Coordinates of all heavy atoms in Angstrom, one line a residue:
F132 N -42.5 -56.1 57.3 CA -43.7 -55.5 57.9 C -44.8 -55.4 56.7 O -44.4 -55.2 55.6 CB -43.4 -54.2 58.5 CG -42.6 -54.3 59.7 CD1 -41.2 -54.0 59.7 CD2 -43.2 -54.7 61.0 CE1 -40.4 -54.1 60.8 CE2 -42.4 -54.8 62.1 CZ -41.0 -54.5 62.0
S133 N -46.0 -55.5 57.1 CA -47.1 -55.5 56.1 C -47.2 -54.1 55.4 O -47.6 -54.1 54.2 CB -48.4 -55.8 56.7 OG -48.8 -54.9 57.7
I134 N -46.9 -53.0 56.1 CA -47.0 -51.7 55.4 C -45.5 -51.3 55.1 O -44.7 -51.0 56.1 CB -47.7 -50.7 56.4 CG1 -49.1 -51.1 56.6 CG2 -47.6 -49.3 55.7 CD1 -49.8 -50.3 57.6
N135 N -45.2 -51.2 53.9 CA -43.8 -50.9 53.5 C -43.8 -50.4 52.1 O -44.8 -50.3 51.4 CB -43.0 -52.2 53.6 CG -43.5 -53.3 52.7 OD1 -43.5 -53.2 51.5 ND2 -44.0 -54.4 53.3
T136 N -42.6 -50.0 51.7 CA -42.4 -49.5 50.3 C -41.1 -50.3 49.8 O -40.2 -50.5 50.5 CB -42.1 -48.0 50.3 OG1 -43.3 -47.3 50.7 CG2 -41.8 -47.6 48.9
M137 N -41.2 -50.7 48.5 CA -40.1 -51.3 47.8 C -39.8 -50.4 46.6 O -40.8 -49.9 46.0 CB -40.4 -52.7 47.5 CG -40.5 -53.6 48.7 SD -40.7 -55.4 48.2 CE -39.0 -55.8 47.7
G138 N -38.6 -50.4 46.2 CA -38.3 -49.5 45.1 C -36.9 -49.9 44.5 O -36.2 -50.8 44.9
Y140 N -33.3 -48.0 43.1 CA -32.4 -46.9 43.0 C -31.3 -47.2 41.9 O -31.1 -48.3 41.6 CB -31.6 -46.6 44.3 CG -32.4 -45.8 45.3 CD1 -33.4 -46.4 46.1 CD2 -32.1 -44.5 45.6 CE1 -34.1 -45.7 47.0 CE2 -32.8 -43.8 46.6 CZ -33.8 -44.4 47.3 OH -34.5 -43.7 48.2
L150 N -33.2 -42.4 43.4 CA -34.4 -43.1 43.3 C -35.0 -43.1 41.9 O -35.2 -42.1 41.3 CB -35.5 -42.6 44.3 CG -36.8 -43.3 44.3 CD1 -36.7 -44.8 44.7 CD2 -37.8 -42.6 45.2
S153 N -40.6 -46.3 43.0 CA -41.0 -47.0 44.2 C -42.5 -47.2 44.3 O -43.2 -46.5 43.6 CB -40.5 -46.1 45.4 OG -41.1 -44.9 45.4
M154 N -42.8 -48.2 45.0 CA -44.3 -48.5 45.2 C -44.5 -49.0 46.6 O -43.9 -49.9 47.1 CB -44.6 -49.7 44.2 CG -46.1 -50.0 44.2 SD -46.5 -51.1 42.8 CE -48.2 -51.3 43.0
A155 N -45.5 -48.4 47.2 CA -45.9 -48.7 48.5 C -46.8 -50.0 48.5 O -47.5 -50.3 47.5 CB -46.7 -47.6 49.2
S156 N -46.9 -50.6 49.6 CA -47.7 -51.8 49.7 C -49.2 -51.5 49.5 O -50.0 -52.4 49.2 CB -47.5 -52.5 51.1 OG -47.7 -51.6 52.1
R157 N -49.6 -50.3 49.8 CA -51.0 -49.8 49.6 C -51.2 -49.3 48.2 O -52.3 -48.9 47.8 CB -51.3 -48.8 50.6 CG -51.4 -49.3 52.0 CD -51.8 -48.3 53.0 NE -52.0 -48.9 54.3 CZ -52.3 -48.2 55.4 NH1 -52.3 -46.8 55.4 NH2 -52.5 -48.8 56.6
G158 N -50.2 -49.3 47.3 CA -50.4 -49.0 45.9 C -49.9 -47.7 45.4 O -49.8 -47.5 44.2
T159 N -49.5 -46.8 46.2 CA -48.9 -45.5 45.8 C -47.6 -45.7 45.0 O -46.8 -46.5 45.5 CB -48.7 -44.5 46.9 OG1 -49.9 -44.4 47.7 CG2 -48.3 -43.2 46.4
I160 N -47.5 -45.1 43.9 CA -46.3 -45.2 43.1 C -45.6 -43.9 42.8 O -46.3 -42.8 42.7 CB -46.7 -45.8 41.7 CG1 -47.1 -47.3 41.9 CG2 -45.5 -45.8 40.7 CD1 -47.6 -48.0 40.6
H161 N -44.3 -43.9 42.8 CA -43.5 -42.7 42.4 C -42.5 -43.1 41.3 O -41.9 -44.2 41.4 CB -42.7 -42.2 43.6 CG -41.7 -41.2 43.3 ND1 -42.0 -39.9 43.0 CD2 -40.4 -41.3 43.1 CE1 -40.9 -39.2 42.7 NE2 -39.9 -40.0 42.8
R174 N -45.7 -54.8 42.0 CA -45.4 -55.5 43.2 C -46.4 -56.7 43.3 O -47.6 -56.6 42.9 CB -45.5 -54.7 44.4 CG -44.4 -53.7 44.5 CD -44.4 -53.0 45.9 NE -44.3 -53.9 47.0 CZ -44.2 -53.6 48.3 NH1 -44.3 -52.3 48.6 NH2 -44.1 -54.5 49.2
A199 N -34.5 -51.7 47.0 CA -34.5 -51.0 48.3 C -35.8 -51.3 49.0 O -36.9 -51.4 48.4 CB -34.3 -49.5 48.2
F200 N -35.8 -51.3 50.3 CA -36.9 -51.6 51.2 C -36.9 -50.6 52.3 O -35.9 -50.4 53.0 CB -36.9 -53.0 51.7 CG -38.0 -53.4 52.6 CD1 -39.1 -54.0 52.1 CD2 -38.0 -53.1 54.0 CE1 -40.2 -54.4 53.0 CE2 -39.0 -53.4 54.8 CZ -40.1 -54.1 54.3
W201 N -38.1 -50.0 52.6 CA -38.2 -49.1 53.7 C -39.7 -49.1 54.2 O -40.6 -49.4 53.5 CB -37.7 -47.7 53.4 CG -38.4 -46.9 52.4 CD1 -39.4 -46.0 52.6 CD2 -38.1 -46.9 51.0 NE1 -39.8 -45.5 51.4 CE2 -39.0 -46.0 50.4 CE3 -37.2 -47.6 50.1 CZ2 -39.0 -45.7 49.0 CZ3 -37.2 -47.3 48.8 CH2 -38.1 -46.4 48.2
T202 N -39.9 -48.6 55.4 CA -41.2 -48.5 56.0 C -41.5 -47.0 56.0 O -41.3 -46.4 57.0 CB -41.2 -49.1 57.4 OG1 -40.2 -48.6 58.2 CG2 -41.1 -50.6 57.3
G203 N -42.1 -46.5 55.0 CA -42.4 -45.1 54.9 C -43.0 -44.8 53.6 O -43.4 -45.7 52.8
Y204 N -43.2 -43.5 53.3 CA -43.8 -43.1 52.0 C -42.9 -43.4 50.8 O -41.8 -43.8 51.0 CB -44.0 -41.5 52.1 CG -44.9 -41.0 51.1 CD1 -46.2 -41.5 50.9 CD2 -44.5 -40.0 50.2 CE1 -47.1 -41.0 49.9 CE2 -45.3 -39.4 49.2 CZ -46.6 -40.0 49.1 OH -47.4 -39.5 48.1
V205 N -43.5 -43.3 49.6 CA -42.8 -43.7 48.4 C -41.6 -42.8 48.1 O -40.7 -43.2 47.4 CB -43.8 -43.7 47.2 CG1 -44.7 -44.9 47.3 CG2 -44.5 -42.4 47.1
L206 N -41.6 -41.6 48.6 CA -40.5 -40.7 48.4 C -39.9 -40.2 49.7 O -40.5 -39.4 50.4 CB -40.9 -39.5 47.5 CG -39.8 -38.5 47.1 CD1 -38.7 -39.2 46.3 CD2 -40.4 -37.4 46.3
V207 N -38.8 -40.8 50.1 CA -38.1 -40.4 51.4 C -36.7 -40.1 51.1 O -36.1 -40.6 50.1 CB -38.3 -41.6 52.4 CG1 -39.8 -41.8 52.7 CG2 -37.6 -42.8 51.9
P208 N -36.0 -39.4 52.1 CA -34.5 -39.3 52.0 C -33.9 -40.7 52.0 O -34.3 -41.6 52.6 CB -34.2 -38.5 53.2 CG -35.5 -37.8 53.6 CD -36.6 -38.7 53.2
A210 N -31.5 -41.8 53.4 CA -31.1 -42.3 54.7 C -32.2 -43.1 55.4 O -32.0 -43.8 56.3 CB -30.7 -41.1 55.6
R211 N -33.4 -42.9 54.9 CA -34.6 -43.6 55.4 C -34.7 -45.1 54.9 O -35.5 -45.8 55.4 CB -35.9 -42.9 55.1 CG -36.0 -41.6 55.9 CD -36.5 -41.9 57.3 NE -37.6 -42.7 57.4 CZ -38.9 -42.3 57.3 NH1 -39.1 -41.1 57.1 NH2 -39.9 -43.2 57.4
V212 N -33.9 -45.4 53.9 CA -34.0 -46.8 53.3 C -33.4 -47.7 54.4 O -32.3 -47.5 54.8 CB -33.2 -46.9 52.0 CG1 -33.1 -48.3 51.6 CG2 -33.9 -46.0 50.9
N213 N -34.1 -48.8 54.7 CA -33.7 -49.7 55.7 C -32.8 -50.8 55.2 O -31.8 -51.2 55.9 CB -34.9 -50.4 56.4 CG -35.9 -49.4 57.0 OD1 -37.0 -49.2 56.6 ND2 -35.4 -48.7 58.0
D214 N -33.1 -51.3 54.0 CA -32.4 -52.4 53.5 C -32.1 -52.3 52.0 O -32.9 -51.7 51.3 CB -33.2 -53.7 53.7 CG -33.5 -53.9 55.2 OD1 -32.6 -54.4 55.9 OD2 -34.6 -53.6 55.6

Side-chain angles (χ1 to χ4, degrees):
F132 294 100
S133 59
I134 300 174
N135 57 69
T136 296
M137 296 183 73
Y140 279 75
L150 180 63
S153 59
M154 185 171 181
S156 53
R157 292 179 172 176
T159 305
I160 291 175
H161 170 79
R174 292 188 59 178
F200 177 96
W201 64 93
T202 51
Y204 192 56
V205 287
L206 184 60
V207 297
R211 288 283 308 277
V212 173
N213 300 114
D214 301 280

